[in-house]
Amino acid sequence: MLRSPSCVAAAVSLVLVAIAASAAAQTPDRLDRDAMLWGEVLPGEILHDGIPGATEPHDASVPRPEEIFGHSVGAWHLQPEALVRYLEVLARSSDRVTLEQIGRTHEQRPLVVATITSPRNHARLDEILRRQAEVSDPRRASANDLSDDLSDLPIVVYLAYGVHGNEASASNAAPVVAHHLAASRSTAIEALLEDVVVLLDPSLNPDGLGRFTTWVNAHRGVRPVADPQHREHREGWPNGRTNHYLFDLNRDWLLATQPESRARLEIFHRFRPHVVADFHEMGTNSTFFFQPGVPSRRNPLTPRRNEDLTRELAGFHARALDHIGSLYWSEEIFDDFYYGKGSTYPDVQGAIGILFEQASARGHRQESINGEVTLPFAIRNQVTVSFSTLEGAQALRSELFAFRRQALADAFATARDGTTAAWIVGDDGDPGRLADFVELLARHRIEVAALQGPVDIDGRRFEPGRAVAVATAQEQAGLVRTIFEQPTAFEDSTFYDVSAWTLPLAFGLPFAASADAVLGDPMSAETLRNAIGVFEPTPDAVAYALRWTAQGAPRALAALLQAGVSTRIALRPPTADLGMGTVIVPVASQALERRQLETLLSAVAARAGVTFAPLASGLTESGIDLGSPGMPPIAPPTPAVIVGAGMTTYTTGELWHALDALFGLETTLLPRSRLADSDLDRYSHLLFAGGRGAMRETEHDVVAGWVRRGGVLVTLGADAEWAARLGEEDAGAGTMEPTAEDAEEPERRPYSERERDAAQERVAGTILEVELDLSHPLAAGYPSSALPVFRRGRQVLAPPRDAYSVVAAYTEAPLLAGFAAPEALEELAGTPALVAEPLGDGLVVRFGDAPNFRGIWHATHRLLANVIFLGPHVEPGLRR
């Protein structure tokens, strides 16, 4: 059963409460009282006798959670605002607690972290952090002297609750943990806080938590319902797992595209925690999981000692959970491979990341195969392992210090003695994209330098001012290695998440390994940006040109269109210097006077990080002229992203984020359930991010008619399948299923090998190469036909009916990094990766891969921008 004996007794109390309630007159006051009873009975023993100091006195001047919330913890789900409010109370009432706001979410909720330690440690916190840095840096002599006296230096433990907002027992446990640390007068807690600096983040994802909490509290009755079919346990779309833009923040530690991630990275690198505890929930029918995960799926860059210490800490969790009779498991399913998660990002930096997964009530109370799972019980387990983590870290304090120094020293030595002294990264003609890349490296405290001089590697030339160097031998040597390497061979081909994340490929930047250091002065993103975003008006200019190669060009164009500026876009190169996609802003025929227009261009250039080049004449020497039919006016796009039940959450969020946050376009979120009865002619583009993969007949007719009238349909994933047949009379027909005589008898295989065999057929979050047709308008802005794309799954796009519609196709040997089954690569080789097929006056676009994967895949962001701004100008070709 997933309940302790005390919870069983409390269940009996629930029955008695129900009997008494049914016999009493149900006045409003009585209903309020009954609504509280469930919460008052069950959560009473969340802080149990197995937790250090739980049975000893607490400082009465430090308010208990229920005094602030008005109900016991676990009676109702806590909103993120309530968590912040309670930590503010603790910071005012306890000299062990300080609270810092480290950022805000997209919805402007505060992101906070409480630092909880002894008053003595608070008084010398700056000294503690300085010494932490000194003894960790492998370039300092002290970092290699393990005889240093560290007896007076506390370790740091980061308790990170609720990165997935609907895994809410994590965040609901935070106030219980915080109160006990702040108010307990036991010698055990006082000693712990002398040895440990605790960072407590009550909610890594406040926007998602707020969305989930509103749902479950809105559907909670006087007596919580355990029926799994009760609406409380079936969240509406989108659920609370993700943040505002529907990003999975637990995959964003390395990519850092979201404000929540950027804030926590700042805290992580300032405090350098030795242990990061990452609290989650999983399926209701499970029990409790803690690491280590699957041994064979450990990233090879993670030191073996990390796994040993994780296992030693696991002994503390096991003993604590045994004490309260909670079932648990370890070393299965979950892995430590991708370094972009909260439990793995620390592993490559000399720290220990620990994943905790608690069976979820997905509300207040739910049936499971193990008995009822209740919110108070789930909170109790989360509180229990919070303190077992702190106890374990305190007990292993010396070992954790030694591990950090040894791990960082070993990574530094490996880099110093290796064949690659530095990675050189060029700007590919887009200094803004290189600046974004350097800014991301800086978030991870990776040092970047200018080039001393020109560098030639494998036929490629890197010039100072247009390239940077990243030394391999630096404090973050492990992170540098995992960011730049392109692995294609793996010990275990089963991955819980992606198998590759080579970030220069994600940014679409040329890079190469250099045997020489070639390091100049330190380089920052700000220095790189100083060369762009500056506008100088020219008196004799008849127009200004915006190169489409610039990262900020779509945002700049959107800003101009929203300001009512008349613009034109080149469907063929106007000059050798200005390629296809160049945006022309004529000075004449504008609603704005020249001085007003140039003031606007200056502001847009600064905000978007672009340059507007002056043109002295509308007549060009070699390409199309400024008034050419090949340079049509641009109409402001009016995109609508299809949302709602059945749509893929992550890719939907990625499209919304790109259009809204990156390109700056006003974007409608259109429910798919309203598609057939909506006025689609309001929209220039409809974007389907890979939903249920089938269309109702009414939807098909409405969408096909809209495309024929000039709309641009954009589809990903399963939606690309029906889009391939849009407009055909038999488009609604299903595919033929193989007959019995067509099927081959499968080879007999051991049952134990089923998971490994399935993995061998996958494309497991892999980086592949496609070849662009650089003559196609949707390839505008790309200087090279070779383009890295991020691929998940084996879906193959159907070939188009139009001979000129393949914008990109996978190369014959497409694997750049990551795992992909040979059979899958053979299936994909040479097939379309991006199809743009005219239908009537409109266009049907089918992506084989997500162009904005996790918001980081800058290499293909421009493909989406091209679909938005140039898609309406793609003309039909000849039928084959």
Side-chain angles (χ1 to χ4, degrees):
M1 298 288 286
L2 277 181
R3 292 179 291 181
S4 67
S6 63
C7 288
V8 174
V12 175
S13 298
L14 276 177
V15 175
L16 297 176
V17 167
I19 292 172
S22 65
Q26 296 301 303
T27 65
D29 288 345
R30 183 56 188 257
L31 282 172
D32 291 343
R33 178 62 181 161
D34 282 348
M36 295 285 290
L37 282 172
W38 183 81
E40 291 176 346
V41 174
L42 284 180
E45 296 187 21
I46 284 176
L47 194 68
H48 56 80
D49 62 356
I51 289 171
T55 59
E56 298 182 48
H58 287 73
D59 185 344
S61 67
V62 180
R64 300 187 307 277
E66 57 268 26
E67 295 177 59
I68 303 303
F69 303 141
H71 59 79
S72 300
V73 172
W76 294 85
H77 280 261
L78 296 170
Q79 286 282 1
E81 291 79 9
L83 296 172
V84 173
R85 185 168 69 251
Y86 184 65
L87 291 180
E88 289 172 343
V89 168
L90 290 186
R92 289 195 299 267
S93 58
S94 172
D95 58 2
R96 299 175 181 177
V97 182
T98 60
L99 187 65
E100 177 182 0
Q101 181 174 322
I102 58 175
R104 285 190 177 273
T105 70
H106 286 294
E107 296 177 15
Q108 296 306 299
R109 287 186 170 95
L111 296 162
V112 301
V113 169
T115 303
I116 309 177
T117 191
S118 68
R120 186 174 78 94
N121 285 341
H122 271 298
R124 61 189 187 114
L125 192 57
D126 289 343
E127 176 200 350
I128 290 171
L129 299 184
R130 177 182 57 78
R131 289 185 62 198
Q132 293 274 24
E134 289 176 352
V135 302
S136 299
D137 192 339
R139 296 165 297 189
R140 297 175 181 266
S142 62
N144 298 314
D145 183 5
L146 299 183
S147 65
D148 283 349
D149 181 13
L150 304 178
S151 60
D152 196 39
L153 188 61
I155 61 167
V156 180
V157 176
Y158 189 175
L159 302 179
Y161 295 102
V163 71
H164 294 143
N166 63 356
E167 299 176 3
S169 65
S171 290
N172 281 265
V176 179
V177 174
H179 174 260
H180 188 53
L181 291 174
S184 173
R185 289 298 173 242
S186 69
T187 56
I189 292 298
E190 289 178 350
L192 186 147
L193 294 180
E194 283 293 334
D195 293 337
V196 182
V197 173
V198 180
L199 298 176
L200 187 145
D201 189 327
S203 174
L204 292 148
N205 181 7
D207 291 350
L209 177 64
R211 192 158 63 241
F212 173 74
T213 298
T214 298
W215 177 273
V216 292
N217 283 346
H219 295 97
R220 180 205 190 281
V222 171
R223 298 168 192 81
V225 177
D227 180 358
Q229 299 181 96
H230 180 48
R231 194 163 189 248
E232 176 186 1
H233 310 305
R234 297 290 181 263
E235 285 177 86
W237 192 99
N239 61 35
R241 177 182 178 88
T242 52
N243 78 339
H244 175 79
Y245 280 110
L246 312 185
F247 277 65
D248 184 337
L249 294 178
N250 194 42
R251 272 57 176 179
D252 198 44
W253 281 78
L254 186 64
L255 312 181
T257 67
Q258 301 300 297
E260 299 92 341
S261 308
R262 294 173 178 180
R264 67 177 180 246
L265 283 177
E266 184 65 32
I267 283 291
F268 180 92
H269 289 293
R270 193 199 322 162
F271 280 84
R272 300 168 183 257
H274 299 81
V275 177
V276 176
D278 188 20
F279 298 90
H280 292 250
E281 288 183 344
M282 54 184 167
T284 305
N285 286 325
S286 194
T287 57
F288 193 93
F289 169 86
F290 51 79
Q291 286 176 311
V294 180
S296 62
R297 299 180 200 166
R298 177 181 59 90
N299 193 300
L301 299 187
T302 301
R304 182 69 63 179
R305 181 61 176 151
N306 174 285
E307 187 176 335
D308 295 339
L309 286 169
T310 302
R311 187 167 284 105
E312 289 188 51
L313 287 167
F316 287 85
H317 313 320
R319 286 190 293 275
L321 292 171
D322 284 342
H323 179 81
I324 58 174
S326 290
L327 298 177
Y328 53 84
W329 50 283
S330 186
E331 297 189 308
E332 296 178 70
I333 299 180
F334 300 102
D335 66 34
D336 287 339
F337 191 77
Y338 170 50
Y339 281 135
K341 297 187 292 185
S343 59
T344 53
Y345 181 75
D347 292 345
V348 74
Q349 300 176 78
I352 309 294
I354 305 173
L355 172 66
F356 294 111
E357 296 271 359
Q358 162 64 44
S360 177
R362 282 296 187 270
H364 294 84
R365 176 176 166 231
Q366 189 175 167
E367 298 166 5
S368 84
I369 61 173
N370 299 299
E372 277 188 12
V373 182
T374 67
L375 175 61
F377 173 73
I379 295 172
R380 189 185 200 212
N381 280 345
Q382 303 279 30
V383 170
T384 296
V385 296
S386 296
F387 282 99
S388 64
T389 299
L390 296 175
E391 284 187 288
Q394 181 187 25
L396 298 173
R397 184 173 156 280
S398 298
E399 290 90 336
L400 290 168
F401 268 120
F403 167 67
R404 157 156 294 163
R405 295 198 294 181
Q406 193 65 60
L408 295 180
D410 289 347
F412 180 82
T414 298
R416 182 193 57 208
D417 300 337
T419 57
T420 299
W423 291 97
I424 313 301
V425 186
D427 68 8
D428 200 31
D430 182 6
R433 198 156 18 114
L434 180 60
D436 287 347
F437 180 65
V438 170
E439 184 176 64
L440 177 59
L441 296 183
R443 294 188 191 282
H444 298 297
R445 302 302 190 268
I446 293 173
E447 298 168 359
V448 180
L451 293 186
Q452 284 181 335
V455 178
D456 294 294
I457 303 174
D458 297 331
R460 178 178 283 152
R461 189 172 183 82
F462 297 92
E463 298 279 359
R466 297 195 55 189
V468 297
V470 181
T472 57
Q474 57 176 289
E475 182 178 349
Q476 291 285 38
L479 263 184
V480 169
R481 184 174 174 185
T482 196
I483 282 172
F484 282 92
E485 288 190 343
Q486 296 175 249
T488 56
F490 305 89
E491 176 185 349
D492 190 325
S493 56
T494 303
F495 302 92
Y496 186 76
D497 199 72
V498 299
S499 63
W501 49 87
T502 310
L503 290 185
L505 292 177
F507 279 77
L509 296 171
F511 69 109
S514 172
D516 301 316
V518 299
L519 301 175
D521 294 332
M523 175 63 74
S524 68
E526 182 181 4
T527 301
L528 287 167
R529 294 194 203 284
N530 285 339
I532 56 178
V534 177
F535 174 78
E536 295 183 2
T538 304
D540 59 351
V542 301
Y544 290 93
L546 169 63
R547 289 179 176 84
W548 200 241
T549 53
Q551 174 88 335
R555 186 172 189 84
L557 175 55
L560 294 177
L561 293 173
Q562 288 162 10
V565 174
S566 174
T567 59
R568 307 175 75 88
I569 196 159
L571 302 182
R572 298 193 302 277
T575 68
D577 183 45
L578 300 174
M580 181 168 60
T582 297
V583 175
I584 301 298
V585 184
V587 173
S589 304
Q590 298 285 357
L592 300 176
E593 297 179 358
R594 183 185 192 103
R595 185 172 54 83
Q596 293 173 316
L597 175 66
E598 291 175 340
T599 299
L600 176 64
L601 292 178
S602 178
V604 169
R607 287 199 303 267
V610 298
T611 299
F612 290 96
L615 301 178
S617 173
L619 181 67
T620 63
E621 294 182 1
S622 57
I624 60 174
D625 298 325
L626 302 193
S628 165
M631 195 173 288
I634 309 171
T638 52
V641 175
I642 307 304
V643 300
M647 300 307 297
T648 304
T649 305
Y650 294 161
T651 44
T652 298
E654 290 160 10
L655 289 177
W656 179 27
H657 179 259
L659 296 172
D660 181 34
L662 300 183
F663 300 165
L665 291 171
E666 183 177 306
T667 304
T668 296
L669 302 182
L670 184 64
R672 187 160 187 177
S673 62
R674 301 296 304 274
L675 189 62
D677 59 1
S678 295
D679 177 13
L680 299 187
D681 290 333
R682 294 175 59 96
Y683 312 114
S684 61
H685 297 69
L686 294 180
L687 298 97
F688 289 74
R692 54 179 177 258
M695 273 204 122
R696 300 184 183 94
E697 186 175 347
T698 53
E699 292 177 330
H700 171 270
D701 294 343
V702 167
V703 172
W706 170 81
V707 173
R708 286 192 175 98
R709 293 193 299 274
V712 178
L713 175 68
V714 183
T715 58
L716 284 69
D719 285 319
E721 296 180 6
W722 59 256
R725 297 178 288 124
L726 192 70
E728 295 180 2
E729 292 183 4
D730 61 345
T735 57
M736 293 292 293
E737 296 293 336
T739 61
E741 52 268 28
D742 292 332
E744 296 183 8
E745 182 178 348
E747 175 188 356
R748 184 180 181 187
R749 297 283 295 152
Y751 180 78
S752 61
E753 294 296 309
R754 69 197 187 286
E755 187 177 7
R756 184 179 295 273
D757 288 349
Q760 290 296 328
E761 299 178 1
R762 299 174 59 211
V763 178
T766 305
I767 304 172
L768 303 181
E769 185 177 61
V770 301
E771 182 182 14
L772 289 170
D773 173 7
L774 292 180
S775 71
H776 199 286
L778 298 194
Y782 284 99
S784 169
S785 62
L787 181 68
V789 300
F790 196 89
R791 176 78 181 186
R792 300 188 86 167
R794 293 180 63 162
Q795 176 187 347
V796 177
L797 291 183
R801 300 180 295 276
D802 185 284
Y804 308 95
S805 296
V806 177
V807 182
Y810 298 101
T811 62
E812 292 302 317
L815 183 62
L816 294 177
F819 174 81
E823 296 85 355
L825 290 176
E826 187 176 341
E827 288 176 4
L828 286 171
T831 66
L834 173 58
V835 172
E837 192 164 19
L839 176 62
D841 291 332
L843 189 69
V844 177
V845 178
R846 294 183 283 129
F847 280 95
D849 310 294
N852 308 99
F853 180 72
R854 291 184 179 168
I856 196 65
W857 217 259
H858 297 271
T860 49
H861 274 177
R862 189 177 291 112
L863 289 179
L864 180 64
N866 289 346
V867 170
I868 298 300
F869 292 103
L870 286 92
H873 303 287
V874 174
E875 297 182 355
L878 301 175
R879 297 288 180 180
R880 287 183 294 181

